[in-house]
Amino acid sequence: MGRENEILVTPEILRQTAQNLKDLFQKGLKGYEEIEKNALETENCLKGKCAGRLRRRIITRKEKGSMRLQNLCAFPEKLLQIAEEYETAERENKNG
């Protein structure tokens, strides 16, 4: 197997990936908040049972999406933990 198929992972790459994921999750959460805000603003122009159901459906989907994003927020922390463990192992290998 050639070296072109190898994946180089360093603690810095893991930290950067973790930060990128955190930023992405924050954008996602802000997007869901904006969707909810827009759905609630339709009360001014859309009336009736159908409009109410539509707003509730949008808000329900927003809540589910937000919960899923919250669950994914553990991944950046795991990447940071892996980076720390990797650095610790490298220090021990140099000292040992």
Side-chain angles (χ1 to χ4, degrees), residues 35-81:
I35 288 170
E36 181 179 31
K37 177 184 166 197
N38 291 339
L40 293 174
E41 288 176 353
T42 64
E43 289 178 348
N44 298 328
C45 58
L46 299 175
K47 303 286 183 194
K49 288 183 181 181
C50 289
R53 277 195 303 261
L54 176 63
R55 279 189 287 279
R56 285 190 300 276
R57 183 178 297 162
I58 291 170
I59 290 170
T60 299
R61 287 185 180 179
K62 174 261 176 187
E63 289 170 354
K64 288 179 182 178
S66 294
M67 285 179 14
R68 288 179 181 144
L69 275 178
Q70 293 291 344
N71 291 336
L72 290 174
C73 285
F75 287 115
E77 296 305 318
K78 288 181 182 179
L79 288 177
L80 293 173
Q81 181 182 3

Side-chain angles (χ1 to χ4, degrees), residues 9-58:
V9 178
T10 64
E12 186 54 42
I13 290 172
L14 292 173
R15 285 190 188 92
Q16 185 60 49
T17 301
Q19 186 59 51
N20 292 345
L21 286 172
K22 285 180 182 180
D23 294 344
L24 184 61
F25 294 152
Q26 287 302 316
K27 285 181 185 179
L29 290 173
K30 286 180 184 177
Y32 277 124
E33 294 300 323
E34 187 67 26
I35 288 170
E36 181 179 31
K37 177 184 166 197
N38 291 339
L40 293 174
E41 288 176 353
T42 64
E43 289 178 348
N44 298 328
C45 58
L46 299 175
K47 303 286 183 194
K49 288 183 181 181
C50 289
R53 277 195 303 261
L54 176 63
R55 279 189 287 279
R56 285 190 300 276
R57 183 178 297 162
I58 291 170

